[in-house]
């Protein structure tokens, strides 16, 4: 990535100063700069920055130089595409020096977009707050900055602020797409339904039928809706949107195949893939096969997984990526074919990552494959540089706990403490009346905490009466006393969320919970029991997939 001070010898020489063609030259230079920036190609974005440097390399620009308030946004667009934060900061400094930031709204908007594209949403939001008169584009850019960087709740809060503080601004398709993405990320179904309704109402629903039809035909918006409903646990609504789409692209099919797979609708997912290839006139890509192999993994379909993996290479000439190998290893290992999974790893065309070794370690744990093999998998996972080292230690501690080797469990705990590793904190969130409530284990910060814990006591009594006994292997990182272990399990975040849901949900409505970690075995067991004892459907989206608990059973069929 060249800096703004890089050589510009490859660029055409500037025309002579002064003369009748100065204005035309300035327009031509600006058009060229904008064209290079808008091309969305790495090499041309580099040239856009070099051209900007050549145009503004002197303190006193010539009459043929385009005004900086027109040039800087184009250069910022190129820097944003490249993720070139140092160059973007140089442009920010220049804009501030020329009094264009945050006073000039277009320049300020471009800077917000730059920081968002470079993974710095805090700087993007701070700059947005300094814009004196933010336009709809300003709000859209700020909301998207938060959503695209994973801060979904903050994005929704900012959208609510826009609706509250600026009722004169009518959301457009860009607003709605960002809000739909934030709702999908946060698992906020009712807010997503509101955004969908707003889309129809404010973008044509109450006015020009042609405009309404255009919205209903927009493939990107419909794809966002499929993604929203799929990620919020409403897979039937996702399928309705998909089936009604007048036009679909490859992303549409991929989103629906994956949504069905993640909800345990494995056969529906594979049938849709077959329909896509046979009658949809769509050629699958690498992402499609991640979805297909995920379906095979969730369903324990070993033979079909082998067949689709082979067809991906032989029929579609798609070179396997780390994600495909990861799915295949997971399919084989979880079905007990650990030796074959190791053969797949040995034949990989890329280096295995820690996710693959952790998948093997998890399978060893669940299949009781033996301490020696589990320890070997843990060592291989720890040898790969990764930020999630704590996850390996937690899995290994569960292996020791399952073998009743509590001294080794304590050793793992001490090692994590000495090395400064901390288990990733788990949280569960639940949306109620358009507001997302988040819980962590043992949480007492919620305004309804007293009622939540009273309900939790009632749930525990009914579970015990139904014959429930806690699986203490799921609490290996706590004190040694069994009573303490059982109490710790009882305070897991999803149990608090379920308790809150039972207190507040409309009778007959599902309780929908989003969890940032995988559901533990013990919480999976009690969720099934609660669904039967309280006659309620509980939908849990964990890090891997969805679990639909109803009438004492789960959609995963206890294969997860």
């Amino acid at each position: 990535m060249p800096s703004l001070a890089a050589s510009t010898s490859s660029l055409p020489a500037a025309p002579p100063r002064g003369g009748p063609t100065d204005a035309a030259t300035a327009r031509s230079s600006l058009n060229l700069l904008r064209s290079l920036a808008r091309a969305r190609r790495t090499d041309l974005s580099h040239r856009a920055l070099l051209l900007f440097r050549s145009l503004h390399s002197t303190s006193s620009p010539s009459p043929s130089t385009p005004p900086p308030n027109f040039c800087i946004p184009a250069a910022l667009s190129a820097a944003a595409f490249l993720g070139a934060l140092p160059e973007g900061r140089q442009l920010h400094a220049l804009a501030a020096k020329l009094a264009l930031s945050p006073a000039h709204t277009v320049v300020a908007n471009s800077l917000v977009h730059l920081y968002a594209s470079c993974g710095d949403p805090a700087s993007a939001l701070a700059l947005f707050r300094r814009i004196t008169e933010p336009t709809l584009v300003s709000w859209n850019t700020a909301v998207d900055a938060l959503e695209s960087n994973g801060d979904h709740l903050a994005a929704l809060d900012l959208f609510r602020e826009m609706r509250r503080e600026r009722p004169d601004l009518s959301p457009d398709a860009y607003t709605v797409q960002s809000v739909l993405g934030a709702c999908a990320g946060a698992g906020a179904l009712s807010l997503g339904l509101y955004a969908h309704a707003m889309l129809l109402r404010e973008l044509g629903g109450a006015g020009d039928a042609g405009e309404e039809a255009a919205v209903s035909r927009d493939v990107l918006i419909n794809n966002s809706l499929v993604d929203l409903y799929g990620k919020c646990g409403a897979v039937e609504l996702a399928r309705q949107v998909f089936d009604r789409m007048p036009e679909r692209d490859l992303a549409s099919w991929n989103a629906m195949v994956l949504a069905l797979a993640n909800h345990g609708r494995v056969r529906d997912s594979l049938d849709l893939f077959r329909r896509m290839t046979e009658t949809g006139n769509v050629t699958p890509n690498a992402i499609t096969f991640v979805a297909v192999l995920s379906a095979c993994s969730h369903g324990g379909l070993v033979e079909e997984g082998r067949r689709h993996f082979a067809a991906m290479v032989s029929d579609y000439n798609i070179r396997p990526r780390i994600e495909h190998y990861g799915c295949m290893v997971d399919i084989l290992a979880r079905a007990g074919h650990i030796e074959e999974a190791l053969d797949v790893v040995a034949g990989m065309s890329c280096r295995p990552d820690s996710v693959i070794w952790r998948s093997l370690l998890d399978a060893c744990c669940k299949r009781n494959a033996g301490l020696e093999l589990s320890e070997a998998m843990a060592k291989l996972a720890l040898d790969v540089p990764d930020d999630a080292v704590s996850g390996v230690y937690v899995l290994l501690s569960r292996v020791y706990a399952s073998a009743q080797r509590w001294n080794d469990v304590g050793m793992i705990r001490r090692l994590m403490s000495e090395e400064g590793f901390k288990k990733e904190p788990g949280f569960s969130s639940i949306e109620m009346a358009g507001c997302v409530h988040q819980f962590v284990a043992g949480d007492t910060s919620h305004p309804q905490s007293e009622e939540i814990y009273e309900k939790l006591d009632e749930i525990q009594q009914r579970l015990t009466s139904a014959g429930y006994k806690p699986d203490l292997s799921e609490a290996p990182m706590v004190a040694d006393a069994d009573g303490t272990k059982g109490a710790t399990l009882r305070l897991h975040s999803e149990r608090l969320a379920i308790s809150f849901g039972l207190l507040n949900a409309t009778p007959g409505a599902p309780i929908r919970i989003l969890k940032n970690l995988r559901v533990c075995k013990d919480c999976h067991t009690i969720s099934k029991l609660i669904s039967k004892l309280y006659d309620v459907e509980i939908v849990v989206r964990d890090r891997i997939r969805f679990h639909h608990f109803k009438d004492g059973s789960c959609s995963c069929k206890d294969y997860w």
Side-chain angles (χ1 to χ4, degrees):
M1 170 65 228
S3 71
L4 293 183
S7 170
T8 59
S9 58
S10 61
L11 295 169
R17 295 191 178 195
T21 62
D22 283 342
T25 302
R27 283 195 299 271
S28 297
S29 298
L30 180 60
N31 288 337
L32 176 59
L33 177 61
R34 286 172 170 171
S35 297
L36 292 169
R38 290 170 179 168
R40 317 301 289 171
R41 278 175 42 184
T42 300
D43 58 333
L44 296 183
S45 292
H46 284 168
R47 288 185 63 82
L49 292 178
L50 291 172
L51 177 57
F52 178 86
R53 169 66 183 178
S54 72
L55 292 172
H56 294 274
S57 58
T58 61
S59 58
S60 48
S62 72
S64 62
T65 300
N69 58 303
F70 292 117
C71 289
I72 290 177
L76 286 168
S77 177
F81 176 73
L82 295 169
L85 186 56
E87 287 74 11
R89 284 177 172 154
Q90 291 181 51
L91 290 164
H92 190 175
L94 176 61
K97 179 181 178 181
L98 298 174
L100 293 174
S101 174
H104 194 285
T105 304
V106 175
V107 173
N109 292 345
S110 299
L111 283 165
V112 172
H113 173 64
L114 165 85
Y115 287 117
S117 300
C118 293
D120 189 358
S123 294
L125 187 61
L127 185 59
F128 166 75
R129 293 297 187 190
R130 294 174 57 206
I131 300 176
T132 307
E133 295 184 5
T135 62
L136 179 61
V137 173
S138 308
W139 286 94
N140 284 353
T141 308
V143 171
D144 183 68
L146 295 169
E147 188 276 326
S148 61
N149 282 281
D151 201 344
H152 306 298
L153 294 180
L156 293 175
D157 287 342
L158 189 62
F159 170 69
R160 291 191 190 96
E161 180 185 336
M162 182 188 101
R163 298 292 282 168
R164 183 176 63 252
E165 303 294 334
R166 294 296 304 274
D168 56 309
L169 296 178
S170 297
D172 61 10
Y174 295 102
T175 320
V176 175
Q177 274 192 275
S178 293
V179 172
L180 291 175
C183 291
L189 179 60
S190 65
L191 283 173
L193 289 166
Y194 165 75
H196 191 175
M198 180 180 66
L199 176 74
L200 298 175
R201 182 179 67 250
E202 300 199 21
L203 298 180
D208 186 357
E211 188 179 353
E212 179 182 6
V215 169
S216 67
R217 287 196 305 269
D218 191 301
V219 175
L220 290 177
I221 288 179
N222 281 319
N223 289 350
S224 296
L225 289 168
V226 171
D227 184 62
L228 163 76
Y229 291 127
K231 288 181 178 177
C232 287
V235 69
E236 293 297 341
L237 289 177
R239 189 61 189 263
Q240 285 180 25
V241 172
F242 177 83
D243 288 340
R244 293 173 181 174
M245 289 176 68
E247 299 175 12
R248 304 184 187 98
D249 60 10
L250 179 57
S252 313
W253 291 92
N254 287 349
M256 196 65 243
V257 170
L258 184 61
L260 290 167
N262 286 341
H263 282 268
R265 302 270 292 273
V266 174
R267 282 299 164 196
D268 289 341
S269 177
L270 296 177
D271 287 345
L272 187 65
F273 170 69
R274 184 169 56 252
R275 175 183 155 198
M276 166 188 170
T277 55
E278 293 177 358
T279 63
N281 296 319
V282 179
T283 302
N285 63 1
I287 297 173
T288 314
F289 279 97
V290 171
V292 170
L293 292 172
S294 294
C296 295
S297 177
H298 294 325
L301 305 178
V302 177
E303 192 54 44
E304 289 198 52
R306 292 185 183 120
R307 180 165 54 82
H308 284 301
F309 187 85
M312 175 182 72
V313 178
S314 60
D315 296 348
Y316 297 100
N317 297 316
I318 297 173
R319 183 179 180 181
R321 300 178 182 174
I322 191 74
E323 297 89 350
H324 303 115
Y325 286 119
C327 288
M328 201 64 222
V329 166
D330 195 55
I331 291 169
L332 295 168
R334 289 205 295 131
H337 304 288
I338 294 176
E339 292 296 330
E340 186 179 351
L342 289 171
D343 289 340
V344 170
V345 174
M348 286 173 56
S349 59
C350 51
R351 183 181 178 184
D353 62 6
S354 62
V355 175
I356 286 180
W357 295 122
R358 288 202 303 271
S359 179
L360 282 163
L361 176 58
D362 187 41
C364 289
C365 179
K366 289 179 178 177
R367 287 281 172 176
N368 297 316
L371 287 175
E372 186 175 344
L373 182 58
S374 297
E375 288 172 336
M377 293 300 102
K379 183 179 185 304
L380 289 166
L382 292 171
D383 286 341
V384 180
D386 192 280
D387 293 334
V389 171
S390 63
V392 179
Y393 284 123
V394 171
L395 283 173
L396 186 57
S397 74
R398 288 178 183 168
V399 172
Y400 289 138
S402 297
Q404 302 293 307
R405 287 176 51 171
W406 300 111
N407 287 337
D408 288 325
V409 172
M411 180 268 293
I412 292 291
R413 183 185 181 193
R414 286 192 301 273
L415 181 61
M416 290 181 68
S417 177
E418 291 169 3
E419 297 292 331
F421 295 125
K422 293 183 179 179
K423 182 179 180 292
E424 182 181 356
F427 69 81
S428 297
S429 61
I430 178 172
E431 185 196 28
M432 199 67 61
C435 183
V436 177
H437 303 259
Q438 195 170 96
F439 298 90
V440 297
D443 202 338
T444 58
S445 63
H446 195 277
Q448 283 187 269
S449 278
E450 187 174 342
E451 299 98 310
I452 289 170
Y453 279 94
E454 287 177 0
K455 190 69 175 179
L456 207 56
D457 289 337
E458 174 201 307
I459 293 170
Q460 187 66 31
Q461 290 173 6
R462 294 188 65 173
L463 288 172
T464 302
S465 299
Y468 160 73
K469 292 184 179 179
D471 182 349
L472 299 181
S473 68
E474 295 296 340
M477 304 303 290
V478 297
D480 292 336
D482 283 354
T484 304
K485 289 177 181 293
T488 302
L489 285 172
R490 179 173 168 268
L491 301 181
H492 276 190
S493 63
E494 56 263 57
R495 304 194 191 196
L496 298 177
I498 290 172
S499 178
F500 174 80
L502 290 172
L503 284 169
N504 296 281
T506 303
I511 296 173
R512 303 178 191 274
I513 296 169
L514 182 152
K515 183 173 173 60
N516 68 321
L517 303 177
R518 294 185 72 170
V519 174
C520 78
K521 183 178 178 181
D522 194 69
C523 287
H524 193 271
T525 298
I526 68 109
S527 296
K528 289 192 296 182
L529 287 170
I530 291 172
S531 72
K532 183 175 183 179
L533 294 172
Y534 286 84
D535 190 25
V536 63
E537 181 180 3
I538 303 171
V539 182
V540 178
R541 168 182 147 193
D542 72 6
R543 177 179 281 178
I544 305 298
R545 61 174 298 167
F546 277 88
H547 298 266
H548 292 253
F549 301 98
K550 191 173 183 180
D551 299 326
S553 62
C554 180
S555 58
C556 74
K557 299 178 176 60
D558 296 337
Y559 188 84
W560 53 281

